Amino acid sequence: MTGRGGGRGGRGRDDRGRGGGQGAGESGGGGGDRPVGSGRKLHTRVKTARGRKTSSTRWLQRQLNDPYVLEARRQGFRSRAAFKLIELDDRFGLLRPGLRVVDLGAAPGGWTQVAVARVRAGQPPGGGGPRSNATGLVVGLDILDWEDVVGAVCLTLDFMDPAAPDLLRHHCGGPVDLVLSDMAAPTTGHPQTDHLRVMALAETAWDFAEAVLAPGGTFVCKVFQGGTEGALLTRMKQLCASVKHAKPPASRKDSAEIYVVAQGFKGRPTDA
Ligand SMILES: C[S@@+](CC[C@H](N)C(=O)[O-])C[C@H]1O[C@@H](n2cnc3c(N)ncnc32)[C@H](O)[C@@H]1O
């Protein structure tokens, strides 16, 4: 396990604004002035190369023609996934300056970039009213080694490790307002197995959220089509004012992923 990153102090670079600004291109759009993919489309065909598998050629072709990939590069986001959080935030109002956020399954860091910019993590108090001045906190975690996002605390750790929740809580230093989980285990091609794996991650993420969320807090988690099920959904509905499922436009239509958004956390019954 490694714990790195800028934490609340940040590290020099000004990431203010809605975008990421840490990769190629400029930040500042956070979704841009126009919907992604509304511009002129030029289709790029990839010639099959010797030694390249058909599946790799298909993947490359899809990447080269995906407006979200192009826009992520233009705005300096590390992943097209950044737009899923932007779209969820624009619909559900998840992020604002001063909030404390945990981002599970954060690599390569697109969601972390969006969260840092929108909660103003690691930034000194700026101009504007007291709310827009506030400095937030973002703690991101992934099992993979990933490059620091300036302004965030970036951890490399298996979330399923029994030590992970306590370590995260230590870095948060208190209750958090928003727990995000975009965690996904590598797919096996066997739908039932993939579903079970993603649901195991979702259940563990929810257990963590129950323990750390402040009253009024929000939990956002990737699940698979069919949604959050059975006991987990019942528990969320008991403990949150509103539980909805959403598939943001940036989520590929052929992907089974959707997101559960549970808002208005009421606290655990024993807390009352
Ligand atoms: C779809 S990606 C996340 C993309 C990210 N939200 C972004 O915007 O760049 C899913 C991530 O979940 C991570 N993951 C899967 N299982 C995990 C675990 N047990 N602990 C921590 N991270 C995990 C994977 O390593 C992967 O980076």
Side-chain angles (χ1 to χ4, degrees), residues 79 81-82 105-111 141-144 157-160 182-185 201 222:
S79 61
W111 281 32
L141 168 149
D142 203 283
I143 195 169
L144 299 176
L157 177 66
D158 181 354
F159 181 66
M160 302 305 260
D182 196 22
M183 284 190 292
L201 289 168
K222 190 205 296 275

mmCIF file of all heavy atoms in Angstrom, residues 79 81-82 105-111 141-144 157-160 182-185 201 222, ligand 1:
data_model
loop_
_atom_site.group_PDB
_atom_site.id
_atom_site.type_symbol
_atom_site.label_atom_id
_atom_site.label_comp_id
_atom_site.label_asym_id
_atom_site.label_seq_id
_atom_site.Cartn_x
_atom_site.Cartn_y
_atom_site.Cartn_z
ATOM 1 N N SER A 79 -9.334 9.998 -18.352
ATOM 2 C CA SER A 79 -10.204 8.930 -18.870
ATOM 3 C C SER A 79 -11.513 9.535 -19.358
ATOM 4 O O SER A 79 -11.953 10.582 -18.867
ATOM 5 C CB SER A 79 -10.514 7.904 -17.770
ATOM 6 O OG SER A 79 -11.193 8.539 -16.701
ATOM 7 N N ALA A 81 -14.148 8.279 -18.664
ATOM 8 C CA ALA A 81 -15.067 8.069 -17.536
ATOM 9 C C ALA A 81 -15.352 9.374 -16.798
ATOM 10 O O ALA A 81 -16.402 9.510 -16.158
ATOM 11 C CB ALA A 81 -14.473 7.043 -16.566
ATOM 12 N N ALA A 82 -14.453 10.346 -16.899
ATOM 13 C CA ALA A 82 -14.677 11.644 -16.238
ATOM 14 C C ALA A 82 -16.044 12.205 -16.594
ATOM 15 O O ALA A 82 -16.726 12.792 -15.744
ATOM 16 C CB ALA A 82 -13.585 12.632 -16.661
ATOM 17 N N GLY A 105 -11.834 2.953 -6.587
ATOM 18 C CA GLY A 105 -11.595 2.491 -7.955
ATOM 19 C C GLY A 105 -11.299 3.688 -8.830
ATOM 20 O O GLY A 105 -11.950 3.913 -9.850
ATOM 21 N N ALA A 106 -10.319 4.467 -8.413
ATOM 22 C CA ALA A 106 -10.128 5.811 -8.970
ATOM 23 C C ALA A 106 -9.225 5.859 -10.210
ATOM 24 O O ALA A 106 -9.292 6.830 -10.966
ATOM 25 C CB ALA A 106 -9.536 6.727 -7.892
ATOM 26 N N ALA A 107 -8.388 4.855 -10.419
ATOM 27 C CA ALA A 107 -7.413 4.922 -11.517
ATOM 28 C C ALA A 107 -8.099 4.827 -12.885
ATOM 29 O O ALA A 107 -9.098 4.126 -13.006
ATOM 30 C CB ALA A 107 -6.405 3.784 -11.385
ATOM 31 N N PRO A 108 -7.620 5.508 -13.884
ATOM 32 C CA PRO A 108 -6.428 6.367 -13.896
ATOM 33 C C PRO A 108 -6.631 7.752 -13.280
ATOM 34 O O PRO A 108 -5.687 8.495 -13.163
ATOM 35 C CB PRO A 108 -6.086 6.471 -15.390
ATOM 36 C CG PRO A 108 -7.416 6.335 -16.075
ATOM 37 C CD PRO A 108 -8.215 5.367 -15.232
ATOM 38 N N GLY A 109 -7.879 8.111 -12.937
ATOM 39 C CA GLY A 109 -8.032 9.365 -12.187
ATOM 40 C C GLY A 109 -8.999 10.383 -12.754
ATOM 41 O O GLY A 109 -9.056 11.503 -12.272
ATOM 42 N N GLY A 110 -9.798 9.991 -13.750
ATOM 43 C CA GLY A 110 -10.746 10.948 -14.345
ATOM 44 C C GLY A 110 -11.746 11.477 -13.326
ATOM 45 O O GLY A 110 -11.966 12.692 -13.220
ATOM 46 N N TRP A 111 -12.368 10.583 -12.557
ATOM 47 C CA TRP A 111 -13.350 11.023 -11.548
ATOM 48 C C TRP A 111 -12.651 11.868 -10.486
ATOM 49 O O TRP A 111 -13.218 12.859 -10.006
ATOM 50 C CB TRP A 111 -14.020 9.810 -10.877
ATOM 51 C CG TRP A 111 -15.104 9.156 -11.689
ATOM 52 C CD1 TRP A 111 -15.160 9.072 -13.048
ATOM 53 C CD2 TRP A 111 -16.278 8.492 -11.193
ATOM 54 N NE1 TRP A 111 -16.294 8.384 -13.426
ATOM 55 C CE2 TRP A 111 -16.987 8.016 -12.320
ATOM 56 C CE3 TRP A 111 -16.778 8.237 -9.924
ATOM 57 C CZ2 TRP A 111 -18.193 7.313 -12.200
ATOM 58 C CZ3 TRP A 111 -17.984 7.529 -9.789
ATOM 59 C CH2 TRP A 111 -18.679 7.076 -10.925
ATOM 60 N N LEU A 141 -8.676 5.971 -4.216
ATOM 61 C CA LEU A 141 -8.007 4.689 -3.950
ATOM 62 C C LEU A 141 -8.151 3.782 -5.163
ATOM 63 O O LEU A 141 -9.215 3.755 -5.793
ATOM 64 C CB LEU A 141 -8.664 4.048 -2.726
ATOM 65 C CG LEU A 141 -8.355 2.585 -2.395
ATOM 66 C CD1 LEU A 141 -8.436 2.382 -0.882
ATOM 67 C CD2 LEU A 141 -9.311 1.625 -3.074
ATOM 68 N N ASP A 142 -7.087 3.076 -5.496
ATOM 69 C CA ASP A 142 -7.200 2.034 -6.518
ATOM 70 C C ASP A 142 -6.215 0.923 -6.203
ATOM 71 O O ASP A 142 -5.169 1.160 -5.595
ATOM 72 C CB ASP A 142 -6.949 2.585 -7.928
ATOM 73 C CG ASP A 142 -7.596 1.721 -8.990
ATOM 74 O OD1 ASP A 142 -7.041 0.628 -9.303
ATOM 75 O OD2 ASP A 142 -8.684 2.089 -9.482
ATOM 76 N N ILE A 143 -6.564 -0.256 -6.650
ATOM 77 C CA ILE A 143 -5.681 -1.410 -6.463
ATOM 78 C C ILE A 143 -4.453 -1.285 -7.369
ATOM 79 O O ILE A 143 -3.392 -1.812 -7.067
ATOM 80 C CB ILE A 143 -6.465 -2.722 -6.743
ATOM 81 C CG1 ILE A 143 -5.732 -3.942 -6.213
ATOM 82 C CG2 ILE A 143 -6.796 -2.860 -8.202
ATOM 83 C CD1 ILE A 143 -6.595 -5.210 -6.223
ATOM 84 N N LEU A 144 -4.602 -0.548 -8.459
ATOM 85 C CA LEU A 144 -3.491 -0.335 -9.393
ATOM 86 C C LEU A 144 -2.663 0.861 -8.956
ATOM 87 O O LEU A 144 -3.178 1.787 -8.333
ATOM 88 C CB LEU A 144 -4.018 -0.038 -10.804
ATOM 89 C CG LEU A 144 -4.868 -1.109 -11.475
ATOM 90 C CD1 LEU A 144 -5.363 -0.579 -12.820
ATOM 91 C CD2 LEU A 144 -4.062 -2.383 -11.661
ATOM 92 N N LEU A 157 -4.167 0.621 -3.082
ATOM 93 C CA LEU A 157 -4.578 -0.353 -2.073
ATOM 94 C C LEU A 157 -5.776 -1.135 -2.583
ATOM 95 O O LEU A 157 -6.630 -0.572 -3.267
ATOM 96 C CB LEU A 157 -4.984 0.441 -0.812
ATOM 97 C CG LEU A 157 -5.520 -0.297 0.395
ATOM 98 C CD1 LEU A 157 -4.434 -1.175 1.002
ATOM 99 C CD2 LEU A 157 -5.997 0.703 1.446
ATOM 100 N N ASP A 158 -5.816 -2.425 -2.248
ATOM 101 C CA ASP A 158 -7.000 -3.233 -2.561
ATOM 102 C C ASP A 158 -8.101 -2.867 -1.567
ATOM 103 O O ASP A 158 -7.936 -3.050 -0.359
ATOM 104 C CB ASP A 158 -6.630 -4.723 -2.438
ATOM 105 C CG ASP A 158 -7.786 -5.642 -2.778
ATOM 106 O OD1 ASP A 158 -8.915 -5.149 -2.995
ATOM 107 O OD2 ASP A 158 -7.565 -6.860 -2.828
ATOM 108 N N PHE A 159 -9.205 -2.383 -2.083
ATOM 109 C CA PHE A 159 -10.299 -1.978 -1.198
ATOM 110 C C PHE A 159 -10.854 -3.168 -0.412
ATOM 111 O O PHE A 159 -11.436 -2.994 0.665
ATOM 112 C CB PHE A 159 -11.413 -1.309 -2.019
ATOM 113 C CG PHE A 159 -12.567 -0.850 -1.183
ATOM 114 C CD1 PHE A 159 -12.411 0.164 -0.255
ATOM 115 C CD2 PHE A 159 -13.815 -1.448 -1.301
ATOM 116 C CE1 PHE A 159 -13.471 0.584 0.539
ATOM 117 C CE2 PHE A 159 -14.886 -1.035 -0.519
ATOM 118 C CZ PHE A 159 -14.700 -0.014 0.408
ATOM 119 N N MET A 160 -10.684 -4.381 -0.955
ATOM 120 C CA MET A 160 -11.198 -5.570 -0.269
ATOM 121 C C MET A 160 -10.257 -6.013 0.856
ATOM 122 O O MET A 160 -10.590 -6.926 1.615
ATOM 123 C CB MET A 160 -11.413 -6.720 -1.266
ATOM 124 C CG MET A 160 -12.366 -6.372 -2.402
ATOM 125 S SD MET A 160 -13.955 -5.779 -1.818
ATOM 126 C CE MET A 160 -14.950 -7.255 -2.002
ATOM 127 N N ASP A 182 -16.508 3.611 -8.605
ATOM 128 C CA ASP A 182 -16.555 3.203 -10.017
ATOM 129 C C ASP A 182 -15.784 1.891 -10.158
ATOM 130 O O ASP A 182 -15.337 1.538 -11.237
ATOM 131 C CB ASP A 182 -15.930 4.310 -10.888
ATOM 132 C CG ASP A 182 -16.277 4.172 -12.364
ATOM 133 O OD1 ASP A 182 -17.285 3.525 -12.682
ATOM 134 O OD2 ASP A 182 -15.518 4.719 -13.198
ATOM 135 N N MET A 183 -15.614 1.187 -9.035
ATOM 136 C CA MET A 183 -14.807 -0.042 -9.050
ATOM 137 C C MET A 183 -15.420 -1.091 -9.967
ATOM 138 O O MET A 183 -16.630 -1.277 -9.984
ATOM 139 C CB MET A 183 -14.705 -0.636 -7.640
ATOM 140 C CG MET A 183 -13.745 0.082 -6.737
ATOM 141 S SD MET A 183 -13.462 -0.822 -5.195
ATOM 142 C CE MET A 183 -15.040 -0.686 -4.393
ATOM 143 N N ALA A 184 -14.552 -1.754 -10.702
ATOM 144 C CA ALA A 184 -14.976 -2.872 -11.532
ATOM 145 C C ALA A 184 -13.822 -3.848 -11.617
ATOM 146 O O ALA A 184 -12.697 -3.437 -11.905
ATOM 147 C CB ALA A 184 -15.352 -2.393 -12.922
ATOM 148 N N ALA A 185 -14.115 -5.102 -11.355
ATOM 149 C CA ALA A 185 -13.080 -6.127 -11.530
ATOM 150 C C ALA A 185 -12.956 -6.407 -13.024
ATOM 151 O O ALA A 185 -13.918 -6.175 -13.768
ATOM 152 C CB ALA A 185 -13.502 -7.382 -10.782
ATOM 153 N N LEU A 201 -18.167 -5.902 -4.807
ATOM 154 C CA LEU A 201 -17.490 -4.606 -4.612
ATOM 155 C C LEU A 201 -18.498 -3.556 -4.154
ATOM 156 O O LEU A 201 -18.218 -2.751 -3.258
ATOM 157 C CB LEU A 201 -16.822 -4.158 -5.920
ATOM 158 C CG LEU A 201 -15.592 -4.956 -6.362
ATOM 159 C CD1 LEU A 201 -15.200 -4.601 -7.796
ATOM 160 C CD2 LEU A 201 -14.405 -4.716 -5.436
ATOM 161 N N LYS A 222 -21.118 2.069 -9.126
ATOM 162 C CA LYS A 222 -21.356 1.309 -10.352
ATOM 163 C C LYS A 222 -21.953 -0.058 -9.982
ATOM 164 O O LYS A 222 -21.446 -0.746 -9.102
ATOM 165 C CB LYS A 222 -20.016 1.085 -11.068
ATOM 166 C CG LYS A 222 -20.175 0.510 -12.478
ATOM 167 C CD LYS A 222 -18.954 -0.252 -12.963
ATOM 168 C CE LYS A 222 -17.702 0.532 -13.134
ATOM 169 N NZ LYS A 222 -17.567 1.210 -14.413
HETATM 170 C C1 LIG B 1 -13.647 1.730 -14.567
HETATM 171 S S1 LIG B 1 -12.146 1.882 -13.695
HETATM 172 C C2 LIG B 1 -12.311 3.408 -12.868
HETATM 173 C C3 LIG B 1 -12.148 4.624 -13.743
HETATM 174 C C4 LIG B 1 -12.072 5.895 -12.935
HETATM 175 N N1 LIG B 1 -13.331 6.175 -12.262
HETATM 176 C C5 LIG B 1 -11.708 7.077 -13.788
HETATM 177 O O1 LIG B 1 -12.499 8.006 -13.889
HETATM 178 O O2 LIG B 1 -10.601 7.122 -14.329
HETATM 179 C C6 LIG B 1 -12.364 0.717 -12.399
HETATM 180 C C7 LIG B 1 -11.230 0.680 -11.415
HETATM 181 O O3 LIG B 1 -11.591 -0.140 -10.302
HETATM 182 C C8 LIG B 1 -10.393 -0.644 -9.777
HETATM 183 N N2 LIG B 1 -10.637 -1.740 -8.834
HETATM 184 C C9 LIG B 1 -11.207 -2.930 -9.094
HETATM 185 N N3 LIG B 1 -11.190 -3.702 -7.984
HETATM 186 C C10 LIG B 1 -10.630 -2.945 -7.006
HETATM 187 C C11 LIG B 1 -10.327 -3.190 -5.633
HETATM 188 N N4 LIG B 1 -10.609 -4.361 -5.050
HETATM 189 N N5 LIG B 1 -9.738 -2.214 -4.918
HETATM 190 C C12 LIG B 1 -9.440 -1.022 -5.499
HETATM 191 N N6 LIG B 1 -9.678 -0.745 -6.799
HETATM 192 C C13 LIG B 1 -10.270 -1.691 -7.547
HETATM 193 C C14 LIG B 1 -9.637 -1.080 -11.020
HETATM 194 O O4 LIG B 1 -8.269 -1.241 -10.765
HETATM 195 C C15 LIG B 1 -9.946 0.055 -11.981
HETATM 196 O O5 LIG B 1 -8.922 1.010 -12.024
#
